[in-house]
Amino acid sequence: MSARRSTSLRDSSAESERMEGSGSWDEALDWFKLEVQHPASRSVSHHANYKCLLEAERVLVEGRGVVLINTDEAGTLLVTNFRLIFLSEGTENIIVLGTIPLATIEKFSKMVNYFLELMDFFSCSFRVFMVLLGGEKKSTKGCEDRKGTGDGRVVKNQSAPRHSEKTPSQRFLQVIGKDMRIIVFGFRPKTKQRRAIYEGLLQCTKPSRLWDLYAFSCESFKFTNANPKVRLLNEYFRLLGKGFCRASMDMINNGSYTMSNELWRISGVNSNYLMCPSYPFALIVPKSISDDEVIQASNFRSKGRLPVVSWCHPETGAVLARSSQPLVGLMMNMRSNTDEKLVAELCSQLGDEKKGRRKLYIADARPRKNALANVAMGGGSESSSNYFQSEVVFFGIDNIHAMRESLSRLRDYLDAHGTTSSDGTLSLLRHGGWTWGRGNLSNMSASVSTLGDSGWLIHVQSVLAGSAWIAARVALESASVLVHCSDGWDRTSQLVALANLLLDPYYRTFTGFQALIEKDWLAFGHPFAERWGMPTVSGSSDRPPDLCRQSSVGSFPLPPMHQSLGSSAPPTPSSSHAQNQHSPIFLQWIDCVSQLLRMYPFAFEFSSAFLVDLLDCVLSCRFGNFFCDR
């Protein structure tokens, strides 16, 4: 996961300069004046000699003389079994903005005369604006088909033709990424280049077999310590103070990994994943709790996700535990003696016997009203009177649907108000709600509070505040904290992982950060495929597994400016708002980490560039760690 990519991170300032450069859009788009110097796009052999290719990466379709509209650069466009790559003309260096992994592509579509209308609209709108200010008295030549309405809007006169019938139409391909990029490529007419690239993307983004994915052809098994079970056990050994022991597959196979200290032990009761399919094969539980009691306690928690230890303080013995909501029933009167005993054992004896047992906080990540609403489905929250020396606290963090809608609004804001929007177009061209030549130019001062209205920063603040509160209880009060939400794999993972990061400096190193993600996100069953729209495996066991990509096009709604006809995207089943399970939970957690990194840069071994690389790896599925659900 932390492997270095072959390409360097994009330099945002240099990229911005390229986007804002003085190059002429008209020159880039005037294809019919260019000589055809290269053949049309074509399929190529798997041994195409490009220095930019990764191990086992094969070129499937090649197109020359393509222009990246975002930056006005001409070059070669390649479709491989892993990426869509744009190479600069002559040097064949990778242009990062125009290069995107196939798994990161959310939608791609064909367009005609797209940017000619854009530039015509902007040019005429700017001239009308200057006339209104009295700064230009000349006639707006070339803009006779547009006129001002007097209220700041510019409308198009449909009677005036835009192009001569002899002018060849321009060919464009728009690629929308899950990383908020919108890339537009321009093709020469009458060369069938766009068709070849489009069909190549159509084939490669919808592979029919699991083994066609690049992650299964890059021989990741050659890396040392490649088994996630071994890495998880090594982390457990470190938490129990047994860091001198090293896990191995032999240890896992013969079950000799069930070590313990004076308070906690590693249980193999879930080694076959029958008790809880979404929990890891090994769990840290109180030493005084037997495996039979562990199984009984799992029956009282949603999805069988019983309270288990995520982190323990090496000096005070306080623990940070996680679970799902209890099943208290419609009358909120259901109880489990085994569950109460297990939770009580999290409050181990303090070092001084005179001080008694430590306090337990039960941190429910949900708003109180949401927890009460879950009672209708048998869920709910704990009553402090049923759990020894406990206090229940509600954090009020919204659910996955609120986070999805918040990201959609944030994306709208960035596209409209960013210095350079996600498609590379300067915000001056898009300010005021103008929608790709089909809308109008409204007041540029409108919607300046859209960033706040998105709610994204408020959500990030809620997660940060909740995690800081948890860490403070463990570090300052030597109290134990049990964290849960509804199912215990979204908000719970955010809070627990972030509190781990605050409490343990090891998790702020490269190796520790990887261990943290593998423990609290991957091993504890965060549904990456469902939340991100990753490739998922379907089919019965008697035939090779097929691959179906869950679409996130419907989950992160695109602004009207991003929608076009003739698009290709993975099919999205019709579903209600509640059934849409896509949500940027992991992205939001990475944002929280980046906020901490900005405040305490010297507390981390890595920088924000590493977080960008990590997100690229998550979206690209290059290593396969984030393919599956639970």
Side-chain angles (χ1 to χ4, degrees):
M1 180 171 56
S2 59
R4 294 183 180 273
R5 298 180 299 170
S6 62
T7 60
S8 61
L9 289 168
R10 46 186 171 272
D11 185 330
S12 58
S13 61
E15 186 173 298
S16 177
E17 290 176 3
R18 289 199 303 270
M19 293 176 183
E20 299 179 15
S22 58
S24 168
W25 289 70
D26 294 332
E27 292 175 2
L29 297 170
D30 214 357
W31 289 111
F32 59 90
K33 294 182 180 178
L34 296 176
E35 294 184 21
V36 180
Q37 299 175 350
H38 304 288
S41 300
R42 63 188 187 280
S43 298
V44 298
S45 71
H46 293 172
H47 304 287
N49 186 22
Y50 287 102
K51 60 183 179 181
C52 63
L53 298 181
L54 303 173
E55 179 185 5
E57 187 176 13
R58 307 184 309 275
V59 177
L60 305 177
V61 183
E62 177 186 81
R64 296 182 178 273
V66 179
V67 165
L68 176 60
I69 301 300
N70 307 65
T71 59
D72 251 3
E73 295 180 82
T76 301
L77 188 61
L78 307 176
V79 178
T80 75
N81 58 330
F82 173 55
R83 295 177 289 178
L84 180 66
I85 305 176
F86 186 75
L87 304 177
S88 62
E89 197 170 41
T91 63
E92 292 191 351
N93 293 326
I94 287 182
I95 305 300
V96 178
L97 179 61
T99 300
I100 183 171
L102 300 178
T104 309
I105 296 176
E106 187 170 62
K107 182 180 180 181
F108 53 94
S109 56
K110 298 177 182 178
M111 295 175 295
V112 178
N113 291 337
Y114 178 96
F115 275 89
L116 286 180
E117 184 175 354
L118 184 155
M119 293 310 299
D120 181 55
F121 180 89
F122 172 68
S123 176
C124 297
S125 301
F126 180 75
R127 291 178 182 176
V128 170
F129 182 68
M130 290 298 293
V131 169
L132 293 175
L133 293 179
E136 182 177 337
K137 302 298 183 183
K138 300 178 182 178
S139 105
T140 54
K141 184 179 180 180
C143 301
E144 293 83 358
D145 58 339
R146 298 186 185 271
K147 61 180 181 178
T149 62
D151 59 356
R153 294 183 296 112
V154 179
V155 297
K156 181 177 179 180
N157 186 344
Q158 300 294 338
S159 61
R162 288 195 69 256
H163 299 290
S164 168
E165 295 180 357
K166 297 182 180 180
T167 302
S169 61
Q170 316 306 316
R171 303 293 197 275
F172 300 97
L173 179 67
Q174 181 192 61
V175 178
I176 299 176
K178 298 174 187 175
D179 56 2
M180 298 191 183
R181 272 189 291 174
I182 302 178
I183 311 168
V184 181
F185 299 100
F187 300 83
R188 288 190 299 272
K190 301 180 180 180
T191 60
K192 299 183 179 180
Q193 292 188 96
R194 185 179 63 169
R195 178 188 297 179
I197 296 294
Y198 182 87
E199 292 177 352
L201 286 176
L202 201 62
Q203 177 183 358
C204 295
T205 55
K206 298 179 181 180
S208 58
R209 300 181 307 156
L210 174 69
W211 312 116
D212 290 338
L213 290 171
Y214 174 76
F216 293 97
S217 59
C218 64
E219 300 184 0
S220 59
F221 59 83
K222 296 191 300 184
F223 298 114
T224 59
N225 196 21
N227 192 290
K229 290 185 176 182
V230 172
R231 294 195 297 271
L232 180 63
L233 281 181
N234 284 332
E235 177 58 15
Y236 280 178
F237 293 163
R238 187 189 72 87
L239 293 175
L240 297 183
K242 307 285 184 180
F244 53 87
C245 299
R246 304 305 297 173
S248 65
M249 285 306 300
D250 290 337
M251 182 182 292
I252 295 174
N253 292 333
N254 58 34
S256 60
Y257 57 84
T258 54
M259 298 184 181
S260 65
N261 59 18
E262 62 276 10
L263 295 175
W264 320 105
R265 69 182 180 91
I266 300 175
S267 171
V269 68
N270 198 42
S271 59
N272 53 9
Y273 300 100
L274 293 179
M275 181 188 72
C276 181
S278 59
Y279 261 16
F281 77 103
L283 304 169
I284 299 180
V285 297
K287 190 175 182 179
S288 57
I289 301 295
S290 67
D291 282 350
D292 288 339
E293 290 174 315
V294 168
I295 295 175
Q296 292 176 26
S298 69
N299 295 326
F300 187 66
R301 294 283 170 168
S302 175
K303 306 292 193 299
R305 297 172 66 89
L306 75 158
V308 294
V309 175
S310 172
W311 185 82
C312 46
H313 199 290
E315 298 176 1
T316 66
V319 297
L320 178 55
R322 60 181 298 166
S323 70
S324 61
Q325 65 181 341
L327 303 177
V328 298
L330 289 174
M331 303 302 295
M332 301 181 65
N333 59 355
M334 300 295 293
R335 296 179 60 177
S336 169
N337 292 333
T338 310
D339 181 79
E340 292 172 15
K341 178 183 177 181
L342 172 58
V343 173
E345 288 302 315
L346 298 176
C347 307
S348 58
Q349 192 78 24
L350 289 169
D352 188 351
E353 295 184 0
K354 296 181 181 180
K355 295 182 179 180
R357 298 174 70 87
R358 70 182 76 249
K359 185 173 183 178
L360 171 70
Y361 290 97
I362 300 177
D364 194 324
R366 303 166 293 181
R368 185 187 296 269
K369 62 179 182 179
N370 290 24
L372 293 176
N374 272 271
V375 172
M377 297 180 288
S381 192
E382 296 87 349
S383 171
S384 58
S385 61
N386 296 336
Y387 290 86
F388 176 78
Q389 205 164 327
S390 67
E391 178 182 343
V392 180
V393 180
F394 292 90
F395 285 170
I397 301 175
D398 287 323
N399 60 22
I400 61 172
H401 309 296
M403 302 307 176
R404 178 179 64 247
E405 293 168 357
S406 178
L407 180 66
S408 176
R409 292 192 295 268
L410 175 65
R411 188 170 185 170
D412 289 349
Y413 174 82
L414 293 177
D415 283 337
H417 297 276
T419 302
T420 301
S421 61
S422 59
D423 65 343
T425 308
L426 299 183
S427 59
L428 181 60
L429 296 178
R430 306 164 57 105
H431 233 310
W434 177 71
T435 57
W436 301 105
R438 295 186 296 273
N440 52 41
L441 195 64
S442 60
N443 191 336
M444 287 191 176
S445 64
S447 302
V448 293
S449 62
T450 307
L451 178 58
D453 292 342
S454 73
W456 182 260
L457 295 180
I458 298 298
H459 295 316
V460 169
Q461 181 188 38
S462 298
V463 176
L464 284 168
S467 303
W469 187 93
I470 293 169
R473 302 289 79 75
V474 175
L476 302 180
E477 298 183 16
S478 297
S480 292
V481 182
L482 170 62
V483 185
H484 72 74
C485 49
S486 295
D487 292 324
W489 53 46
D490 289 312
R491 288 166 284 192
T492 300
S493 294
Q494 288 180 323
L495 292 169
V496 170
L498 209 57
N500 272 265
L501 198 74
L502 294 170
L503 290 165
D504 196 335
Y506 170 70
Y507 292 131
R508 299 194 290 271
T509 66
F510 283 105
T511 304
F513 196 69
Q514 175 182 346
L516 177 64
I517 292 175
E518 289 193 308
K519 172 171 68 75
D520 279 304
W521 287 95
L522 294 171
F524 277 95
H526 176 69
F528 277 94
E530 197 169 52
R531 297 291 182 262
W532 280 97
M534 298 296 182
T536 55
V537 182
S538 64
S540 59
S541 57
D542 59 344
R543 63 184 180 86
D546 294 330
L547 179 137
C548 62
R549 181 186 301 278
Q550 296 196 20
S551 172
S552 60
V553 174
S555 26
F556 305 128
L558 300 174
M561 63 189 71
H562 298 165
Q563 301 170 2
S564 59
L565 299 176
S567 63
S568 174
T572 304
S574 59
S575 59
S576 66
H577 168 82
Q579 291 173 330
N580 189 344
Q581 297 298 305
H582 297 274
S583 190
I585 299 300
F586 186 74
L587 171 65
Q588 189 176 65
W589 181 75
I590 292 293
D591 194 349
C592 293
V593 175
S594 71
Q595 301 298 333
L596 291 175
L597 201 151
R598 290 170 67 91
M599 290 186 286
Y600 309 103
F602 298 109
F604 292 82
E605 186 180 24
F606 49 85
S607 68
S608 59
F610 172 72
L611 299 179
V612 174
D613 260 355
L614 172 63
L615 283 177
D616 283 348
C617 290
V618 172
L619 290 171
S620 70
C621 295
R622 175 179 175 183
F623 301 105
N625 300 64
F626 307 96
F627 272 170
C628 302
D629 285 340
R630 299 178 283 279

